[in-house]
């Protein structure tokens, strides 16, 4: 089975605003965490390990990646 072909359910970041820059994160197989630009749902995606995604989310919540 090819993990990249498994179904993914996408959800928008809770930090997103209407019309703003945002990402969507995929909820799918635990093998990786898929990420895409919410303005381009048919565009490219990339995937990171679950531990890398958790570390990124923790730094965002701590304010380390504020715009």
């Amino acid at each position: 089975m090819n993990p990249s072909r498994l179904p993914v359910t996408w959800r928008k970041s809770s930090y997103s605003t209407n019309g703003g820059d945002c990402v969507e994160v995929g909820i799918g197989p635990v093998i990786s965490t898929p990420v895409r630009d919410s303005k381009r749902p048919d565009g490219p995606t990339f995937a990171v390990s679950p531990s890398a995604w958790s570390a990124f989310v923790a730094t965002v919540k701590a304010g380390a990646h504020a715009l």
Side-chain angles (χ1 to χ4, degrees):
M1 179 182 331
N2 182 345
S4 66
R5 299 200 183 266
L6 295 173
V8 173
T9 301
W10 295 97
R11 70 174 179 82
K12 193 173 287 191
S13 166
S14 62
Y15 287 92
S16 298
T17 59
N18 290 333
D21 295 329
C22 51
V23 297
E24 292 180 337
V25 65
I27 301 167
V30 182
I31 298 165
S32 64
T33 300
V35 182
R36 71 180 183 185
D37 183 340
S38 65
K39 294 179 299 300
R40 297 184 60 207
D42 294 326
T45 64
F46 67 94
V48 296
S49 70
S51 60
W53 182 253
S54 294
F56 173 73
V57 169
T59 60
V60 169
K61 285 182 178 181
H65 291 290
L67 297 174

